[in-house]
Every structure is written in structure tokens, then in C-alpha cells.
Amino acid sequence: MRSTELVQWFRQSTPYVNMHRGKTFVIMLDGDTIASENFINIISDIRLLHSLGIKLIIVFGARFQINELLLKNHIQPVYHKNIRVTDPRTLELVKQAAGRLNYDIMSRLSMRLPHSPLLNVVSSNFILAQPIGVDDGVDYMLSGKIRRIEVENIKKQLENDAIVLIGPVAPSVTGESFNLPFEEVATQVAIKLKAEKLIGFSNTQGILDKNGVSISDLLPQEAADYLQQFIERDQYHSSQARFLQAAIDVCRAGVHRSHLLSYEEDGSLLQELFTRDGVGTQLSMENSEDVRIATARDIPSLLELIHPLEQQGVLVKRSREQLEMDIEKYTIIDRDGVIIACAALNVYEAEKMAEMACVAVHPDYRSSSRGDILLTEIQKRARNLGIEKLFVLTTRTVHWFQERGFRMANVEDLPKDKREHYNYQRRSKILIQDLQESGE
């Protein structure tokens, strides 16, 4: 990475560093992730998250390692309704695999880096289990479900700056050990701890569409449709399917966002959490972008967005004071607390006309539909105010507005006050749209 790119990345990541500090993240590490060559880098990135003040709970699974041990011991895995049936012999192998991973993860997390403190990693009996019992005549034997989560104990460890590590084997009140589906553990821990995020890994960069392209955002119902496709293909035990099941459940229970990333691509975790667009799939109850009216708190971000365009002469310069007075005129697109687009609506009541002004879209999003989204919102605001005609003054984007129903006009067509203050030196083109004709 060149120095300029590094500086740009740091600047872009700053809002997310501040946003994530003090929040609780639950990270799902399944056996496939732990077995990947890139796992050592994932661990390094997890340590970095901790150093930035993020409270971390790691829930790990061992399905891949358990199945390897079963194969070596000539034992055929048995499942009922996608849950492993765990007999005593299988449980011994489960404990062997899970125990080994527990110490491996703890050792890697505890590895001391130069100028870094030794991490405190705590693995304890935070989960109390109970047997699933018999279902449809099938005895799950030593496969269990969660009876209780020691929420206050986990919170205490997090407040003491520890990383909490939880595996798939948990004790019961009778002193027995039970094998739990790790996705269920991650789900319930995230819900009970009111986590900000649930993060999982798979061999693909999130959920892929039919063209093999990563889907950046999913709503719960959309995620449920993809989960059903995995089930129909008999792929419920894939990393993607188990994450989707967990993410759907936590999302509907109030966990704001869940993220699925590639365990094969180095740096996916950091790119997903500290860049505007991320790299994997995010699941939430609402889209990561919010179209809304600007407030005074948005002024610094607005200035940062429009200042480069003012320097280029694309926009007329506006002082901070002017922006403060006119802030309620601005419609913005907010992506995770960062303003990526804006437009103002200046109303001329006497003529029932309004100007769409100060149209700005962040360079990273100019090839997207954000301009259309802004135009639609501005048109809606104008119609609600009884405006009949919307006009723009532009030096660069004449064709873009013409393609959306604006027609070329003259200075004489402008409202009286705007006509008297028209800047002939800028030679801005004037385009007008009849809102009644463009309405649905």
C-alpha cells in the first residue's frame, strides 16, 4: 500500500474506530475457519480489534475437526434434523477436538507482540447445558441445548478487558458434558449480551448471488430465502448456512448487524469493519444507508463532502455559517454515520418553484444510483410543499438531468429573486422540470 493510500484508509477508518469502541462483538469461528491457512492473520486482526477498545466474545466450533477424528476412528457421523447425535464415544472425540482448539486459540491470542500488553483470554463454564432428549423417536443422547448463560460473569470479564472464549462443549447441573451446536451458542450469547455485531466466516466473501458476486446487504427475509436454498441443496452444515441461521435469529432479536466474511482473504475483517462499503455480506433489519434531513451535527461531514467540489469550481462556495442557517434544506445519504451524498432544496414560494442545489456525491459512489435517490427525495419534498417546478443550475451535469426529464431553460424562466442574483460569469446551464408531469 502506498503512503497516500495508507493515509486515506486511516482517515476513512476513523469514524468506524470511534463508532466501534466500547461495543460488544460476538465472533463465530467454525472449524473450517480455524483450519484455514489464513487463520493466523484472522487472529492478528482480532487482537487489533481488542486493542481498539472493542469487547470481544469468541464462540468457536469444531465440526471439521470432529469429523476428521470420527473418520480416523471409523465412526460414521449421525445427524437428526441437522443436529449431531452424540453418543459417549463421539463425545470423547468432541471433547478432544474442542479442547485442542480451545488451547490453540487461547495460545495464539495470548501471543505477545512488540510494545503490546499480554492479552487476557478467559475460557470458563459460561454456558450451562441440558440434554435435548428424544425427538421423533431419536435419542440425541449427549447432544445438548443451552439451559443458562452466565451473562453477568461474561460482562465482568469484558469489563476487565478480557477476551471471552466459548467452545461447543458445556457442563450440566448433573456434572455431565454436552455437545452443543456452536451456532446456537453464538446466537444466544449475542442476544443475551445485547451485542452490537455478530461476525462469521466462510470460504466465500459473504453470500454470493447467482452470478457469484458478493451481496453487500441482506434483510432477514432475504437471508431466510438464501438459507432455504442451502437447505434444499443439503448444505445446512456449510459455514454460510449456519451463519445465516444465527444472523437471522439475532437480527430479529435486536442485534443491529451481522457480517459474513471470507476466511481465505487476508484482511477481510478489517476491511468490513473499517471501510464504508466493506467486502462481505451484512445482514440487518434495515439498509446500512439512511436518506434523511440533515442536522447541525452533520455540518462537519457536509463540509468535508462539498469542499473538494467547491475548490474545483463545480459548486459555489458556502461558508460554515451559511450552511448552519440552511441546514434543514439539505437532504443527505448517511452510510454508517458518514455522509456520502447531499442536495439542498431552496424554495421560492411566490412562483411555486424550488431549486435543487449543492448536489454532491462522494467520488466512490458517483457510478451508483445515489444521485437518483437524492433526486427522488428532493422531488418528494418539493411536491409536499406544493412546488410545481424544480430547477437546477449546473456547469457539469446537463445531460444527467436531461436524461431524467429536465429541459433546458433561460434566465428569464427563473424565480425573480434567483434571476436577480444569477451569476453570469459562471455561465451555469439552467434546467427545469415540471413536477406534475414527472409525478407517478
Side-chain angles (χ1 to χ4, degrees), residues 224-277:
D225 293 339
Y226 278 98
L227 175 59
Q228 185 58 37
Q229 293 176 26
F230 280 106
I231 293 173
E232 290 173 356
R233 296 196 297 263
D234 196 25
Q235 295 177 340
Y236 179 80
H237 294 304
S238 66
S239 302
Q240 293 92 334
R242 285 180 288 150
F243 167 82
L244 284 175
Q245 184 64 72
I248 292 167
D249 292 342
V250 302
C251 184
R252 289 173 174 166
V255 176
H256 293 164
R257 292 184 183 168
S258 299
H259 304 261
L260 182 63
L261 317 169
S262 168
Y263 57 67
E264 294 182 344
E265 185 173 327
D266 188 17
S268 292
L269 182 59
L270 301 183
Q271 291 182 73
E272 179 71 10
L273 295 178
F274 298 105
T275 62
R276 278 188 294 267
D277 294 326

Side-chain angles (χ1 to χ4, degrees), residues 2 23 74 130 215 218 239 282 285 417:
R2 295 183 303 174
K23 300 297 193 303
H74 309 290
Q130 63 185 24
I215 301 170
L218 281 178
S239 302
Q282 173 181 268
M285 288 298 290
D417 187 60

Side-chain angles (χ1 to χ4, degrees), residues 122-128 148-150 153-154 157 164 166:
V122 177
S123 178
S124 184
N125 54 340
F126 297 114
I127 307 293
L128 194 65
R148 187 172 71 243
I149 298 174
E150 298 295 333
N153 194 1
I154 295 174
Q157 299 300 332
V164 172
I166 303 176

Side-chain angles (χ1 to χ4, degrees), residues 201-220:
F201 293 87
S202 70
N203 63 326
T204 57
Q205 196 64 278
I207 302 300
L208 307 182
D209 63 17
K210 61 182 179 181
N211 297 316
V213 177
S214 297
I215 301 170
S216 59
D217 286 279
L218 281 178
L219 297 174

